Amino acid sequence: MRLVTVRSRGAGVRSPAVPDSTHNDDIESRVAVLERQFLKLHEQVALAVSEASAARVLAAGADHDVSEVRAELRAHTQSLNALRETQLELSKEVHSLSKEVFGLQDKVTSLDDKVTRGFSTLSAGMTQILALLTPTSDSEQS
């Protein structure tokens, strides 16, 4: 309700406020508009509260998911670091074994040379023995 103050022509004394009759007709329509706006705002607030609650649930789920991903990432990082350490150890062992293999290869080559010389000597000895035995066999036949 809107009240209007009326001034009298006197010594600046005001008369009590009187209702403005031109706005009385609009009060019901204005109240109805305000009630609709209030209901709309009430629905919007309820929706906002519901959405905020859902957002909190989603945020909590996302936080949990991020924590799980971080834990998995840490586990993967630890696995990769352990794998790297294993590869470094194996690389050292392979390097050491390759030195041993080259040493063994040198020994095998040396033994092969000795065996070849031994068989050559044996072959020469066999040839000499055969040569010594052959004239004796020929003289017996004659």
Side-chain angles (χ1 to χ4, degrees), residues 66-83:
V66 166
S67 296
E68 285 183 4
V69 168
R70 283 184 180 161
E72 288 180 24
L73 182 60
R74 275 191 296 277
H76 287 296
T77 302
Q78 290 173 348
S79 296
L80 289 173
N81 287 336
L83 181 61

Side-chain angles (χ1 to χ4, degrees), residues 1 21-38:
M1 175 191 290
S21 60
T22 58
H23 294 292
N24 278 343
D25 298 337
D26 292 337
I27 288 179
E28 287 183 21
S29 63
R30 289 174 60 205
V31 167
V33 167
L34 287 173
E35 286 176 345
R36 283 192 301 271
Q37 287 176 345
F38 175 78

